[in-house]
mmCIF file of all heavy atoms in Angstrom:
data_model
loop_
_atom_site.group_PDB
_atom_site.id
_atom_site.type_symbol
_atom_site.label_atom_id
_atom_site.label_comp_id
_atom_site.label_asym_id
_atom_site.label_seq_id
_atom_site.Cartn_x
_atom_site.Cartn_y
_atom_site.Cartn_z
ATOM 1 N N GLU A 207 65.813 -0.909 74.928
ATOM 2 C CA GLU A 207 67.209 -0.634 74.503
ATOM 3 C C GLU A 207 67.729 0.648 75.154
ATOM 4 O O GLU A 207 68.908 0.743 75.483
ATOM 5 C CB GLU A 207 67.273 -0.494 72.979
ATOM 6 C CG GLU A 207 67.140 -1.823 72.260
ATOM 7 C CD GLU A 207 66.910 -1.645 70.747
ATOM 8 O OE1 GLU A 207 66.627 -0.519 70.279
ATOM 9 O OE2 GLU A 207 67.001 -2.666 70.044
ATOM 10 N N SER A 208 66.831 1.606 75.337
ATOM 11 C CA SER A 208 67.230 2.889 75.935
ATOM 12 C C SER A 208 67.293 2.797 77.457
ATOM 13 O O SER A 208 67.566 3.790 78.111
ATOM 14 C CB SER A 208 66.234 3.984 75.578
ATOM 15 O OG SER A 208 65.959 3.994 74.233
ATOM 16 N N ARG A 209 66.985 1.595 78.006
ATOM 17 C CA ARG A 209 66.973 1.393 79.470
ATOM 18 C C ARG A 209 66.080 2.450 80.105
ATOM 19 O O ARG A 209 66.500 3.215 80.980
ATOM 20 C CB ARG A 209 68.390 1.457 80.037
ATOM 21 C CG ARG A 209 69.323 0.393 79.457
ATOM 22 C CD ARG A 209 70.746 0.622 79.926
ATOM 23 N NE ARG A 209 71.682 -0.257 79.241
ATOM 24 C CZ ARG A 209 72.117 -1.440 79.718
ATOM 25 N NH1 ARG A 209 71.717 -1.860 80.876
ATOM 26 N NH2 ARG A 209 72.962 -2.163 79.035
ATOM 27 N N TYR A 210 64.818 2.518 79.611
ATOM 28 C CA TYR A 210 63.925 3.604 80.009
ATOM 29 C C TYR A 210 63.596 3.585 81.486
ATOM 30 O O TYR A 210 63.239 4.618 82.047
ATOM 31 C CB TYR A 210 62.653 3.589 79.158
ATOM 32 C CG TYR A 210 61.594 2.562 79.554
ATOM 33 C CD1 TYR A 210 60.388 2.970 80.121
ATOM 34 C CD2 TYR A 210 61.807 1.206 79.348
ATOM 35 C CE1 TYR A 210 59.416 2.045 80.472
ATOM 36 C CE2 TYR A 210 60.839 0.279 79.700
ATOM 37 C CZ TYR A 210 59.652 0.697 80.265
ATOM 38 O OH TYR A 210 58.703 -0.211 80.623
ATOM 39 N N MET A 211 63.700 2.443 82.136
ATOM 40 C CA MET A 211 63.538 2.409 83.599
ATOM 41 C C MET A 211 64.922 2.194 84.202
ATOM 42 O O MET A 211 65.731 1.426 83.667
ATOM 43 C CB MET A 211 62.617 1.260 84.003
ATOM 44 C CG MET A 211 61.199 1.444 83.522
ATOM 45 S SD MET A 211 60.172 0.050 83.991
ATOM 46 C CE MET A 211 59.803 0.463 85.708
ATOM 47 N N SER A 212 65.159 2.831 85.373
ATOM 48 C CA SER A 212 66.508 2.752 85.951
ATOM 49 C C SER A 212 66.871 1.314 86.317
ATOM 50 O O SER A 212 68.050 0.964 86.343
ATOM 51 C CB SER A 212 66.662 3.695 87.147
ATOM 52 O OG SER A 212 65.642 3.505 88.086
ATOM 53 N N VAL A 213 65.867 0.436 86.540
ATOM 54 C CA VAL A 213 66.185 -0.963 86.866
ATOM 55 C C VAL A 213 66.930 -1.639 85.708
ATOM 56 O O VAL A 213 67.734 -2.555 85.924
ATOM 57 C CB VAL A 213 64.901 -1.756 87.243
ATOM 58 C CG1 VAL A 213 63.992 -1.985 86.032
ATOM 59 C CG2 VAL A 213 65.255 -3.091 87.875
ATOM 60 N N LEU A 214 66.727 -1.165 84.497
ATOM 61 C CA LEU A 214 67.390 -1.786 83.341
ATOM 62 C C LEU A 214 68.888 -1.499 83.333
ATOM 63 O O LEU A 214 69.651 -2.190 82.651
ATOM 64 C CB LEU A 214 66.718 -1.341 82.037
ATOM 65 C CG LEU A 214 65.261 -1.793 81.899
ATOM 66 C CD1 LEU A 214 64.581 -1.107 80.716
ATOM 67 C CD2 LEU A 214 65.167 -3.306 81.750
ATOM 68 N N ASP A 215 69.299 -0.504 84.099
ATOM 69 C CA ASP A 215 70.738 -0.238 84.244
ATOM 70 C C ASP A 215 71.433 -1.313 85.080
ATOM 71 O O ASP A 215 72.661 -1.332 85.168
ATOM 72 C CB ASP A 215 70.957 1.123 84.918
ATOM 73 C CG ASP A 215 71.115 2.234 83.897
ATOM 74 O OD1 ASP A 215 71.170 1.926 82.691
ATOM 75 O OD2 ASP A 215 71.182 3.404 84.306
ATOM 76 N N GLU A 216 70.660 -2.182 85.689
ATOM 77 C CA GLU A 216 71.231 -3.260 86.514
ATOM 78 C C GLU A 216 71.809 -4.380 85.645
ATOM 79 O O GLU A 216 72.404 -5.313 86.157
ATOM 80 C CB GLU A 216 70.129 -3.861 87.409
ATOM 81 C CG GLU A 216 69.489 -2.873 88.360
ATOM 82 C CD GLU A 216 70.328 -2.687 89.606
ATOM 83 O OE1 GLU A 216 70.811 -3.692 90.138
ATOM 84 O OE2 GLU A 216 70.509 -1.525 90.014
ATOM 85 N N PHE A 217 71.567 -4.324 84.332
ATOM 86 C CA PHE A 217 71.943 -5.435 83.451
ATOM 87 C C PHE A 217 73.067 -5.036 82.502
ATOM 88 O O PHE A 217 73.125 -3.892 82.046
ATOM 89 C CB PHE A 217 70.719 -5.912 82.657
ATOM 90 C CG PHE A 217 69.622 -6.408 83.555
ATOM 91 C CD1 PHE A 217 68.591 -5.578 83.975
ATOM 92 C CD2 PHE A 217 69.657 -7.722 84.032
ATOM 93 C CE1 PHE A 217 67.613 -6.033 84.841
ATOM 94 C CE2 PHE A 217 68.678 -8.183 84.904
ATOM 95 C CZ PHE A 217 67.652 -7.342 85.305
ATOM 96 N N THR A 218 73.921 -6.033 82.205
ATOM 97 C CA THR A 218 74.981 -5.795 81.226
ATOM 98 C C THR A 218 74.346 -5.732 79.833
ATOM 99 O O THR A 218 73.173 -6.110 79.652
ATOM 100 C CB THR A 218 76.001 -6.952 81.237
ATOM 101 O OG1 THR A 218 75.311 -8.145 80.838
ATOM 102 C CG2 THR A 218 76.622 -7.150 82.618
ATOM 103 N N GLU A 219 75.149 -5.320 78.851
ATOM 104 C CA GLU A 219 74.654 -5.259 77.466
ATOM 105 C C GLU A 219 74.111 -6.619 77.020
ATOM 106 O O GLU A 219 73.043 -6.710 76.416
ATOM 107 C CB GLU A 219 75.780 -4.839 76.514
ATOM 108 C CG GLU A 219 76.117 -3.367 76.545
ATOM 109 C CD GLU A 219 74.958 -2.477 76.093
ATOM 110 O OE1 GLU A 219 74.131 -2.922 75.289
ATOM 111 O OE2 GLU A 219 74.888 -1.337 76.574
#
Side-chain angles (χ1 to χ4, degrees):
E207 286 168 348
S208 312
R209 300 173 188 265
Y210 79 110
M211 294 179 81
S212 52
V213 70
L214 296 170
D215 267 354
E216 300 278 317
F217 299 94
T218 63
E219 284 297 332

